[in-house]
């Protein structure tokens, strides 16, 4: 690998926030485009880092290539994880860094982190139906669909698909 996965640093918040927002916007994953209320959440990396764990992939020069938010069940950033579970959210890779294994490395880091979390037996995630390249990563790594947990954050959007991995 020509990049490192580690905890984010405050001076990287803005770069990861913009990278994540651009990934969601440019790939058509925000139903309301630039007016989508979720855009602010994607950009607010400082809040995520204060209330959860944010991991980044950086190259040798320190450029942020991607990031992900990891949360244990019951914490503020856990949408679907319950007792004995953890989840990851907002996985994003810069367009120019795709195809280098950054996304998979970030997911692997979340799996490792979940295995370290006391009492954690399962890692879960929610994903949009159109995020096919992410689905391939999840399935290749052993995550399985959990359709009984699919859900809608807001009624106007398609349900989010869920996946889980037993640890």
């Amino acid at each position: 690998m020509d990049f490192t996965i580690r905890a984010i640093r405050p001076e990287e918040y803005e770069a990861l926030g913009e990278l994540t927002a651009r990934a969601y916007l440019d790939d058509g994953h925000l139903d309301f485009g630039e007016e989508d209320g979720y855009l602010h959440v994607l950009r607010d990396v400082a809040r995520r880092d204060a209330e959860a764990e944010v991991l980044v992939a950086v190259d040798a020069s320190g450029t942020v290539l991607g990031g992900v938010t990891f949360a244990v069940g019951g914490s503020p950033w856990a949408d679907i994880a319950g007792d004995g579970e953890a989840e990851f959210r907002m996985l994003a890779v810069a367009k120019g860094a795709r195809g280098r294994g950054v996304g998979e490395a970030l997911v692997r880091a979340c799996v490792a982190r979940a295995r370290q979390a006391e009492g954690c037996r399962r890692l879960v995630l929610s994903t949009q139906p159109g995020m096919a390249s992410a689905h391939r990563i999840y399935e290749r790594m052993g995550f399985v669909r959990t359709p009984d947990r699919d859900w809608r954050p807001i009624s106007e959007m398609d349900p989010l698909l869920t996946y889980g991995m037993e640890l």
Side-chain angles (χ1 to χ4, degrees), residues 88 91 107 125-127 131 133-144 163 165:
F88 64 89
L91 175 66
V107 174
L125 66 104
S126 301
T127 182
M131 296 178 165
S133 59
H135 301 169
R136 286 190 295 275
I137 291 171
Y138 307 146
E139 291 165 5
R140 185 171 61 245
M141 292 182 62
F143 285 85
V144 295
Y163 283 78
M165 172 192 274

Side-chain angles (χ1 to χ4, degrees), residues 4-5 34 36 52 60 68-69 80 93 99 102-103 106 111 133 139 165:
T4 302
I5 306 294
E34 293 277 355
D36 200 301
V68 66
T69 299
I80 64 168
V93 176
V102 173
L106 287 163
V111 171
S133 59
E139 291 165 5
M165 172 192 274

Side-chain angles (χ1 to χ4, degrees), residues 23 27 29 31 44 51 59 84 101 112 120 128 139 149-150 159 165:
D27 293 344
H29 299 307
D31 290 347
D44 193 356
E51 299 174 350
D59 67 13
C120 188
Q128 293 181 10
E139 291 165 5
R149 294 178 81 166
D150 292 356
M165 172 192 274

Side-chain angles (χ1 to χ4, degrees), residues 29-46:
H29 299 307
L30 293 175
D31 290 347
F32 307 105
E34 293 277 355
E35 304 304 314
D36 200 301
Y38 195 53
L39 197 54
H40 173 72
V41 176
L42 295 172
R43 286 187 168 124
D44 193 356
V45 178

Side-chain angles (χ1 to χ4, degrees), residues 65-126:
L65 305 175
V68 66
T69 299
F70 175 86
V72 294
S75 66
W77 289 91
D79 279 334
I80 64 168
D83 289 340
E85 296 180 325
E87 76 181 86
F88 64 89
R89 301 180 50 191
M90 302 174 199
L91 175 66
V93 176
K95 202 169 279 286
R98 294 180 185 175
R100 294 169 50 186
V102 173
E104 185 170 333
L106 287 163
V107 174
R108 286 191 187 287
C110 288
V111 171
R113 180 63 192 89
R115 287 186 171 135
Q116 294 170 353
E118 187 174 335
C120 188
R121 300 177 311 277
R122 176 177 248 225
L123 181 60
V124 297
L125 66 104
S126 301

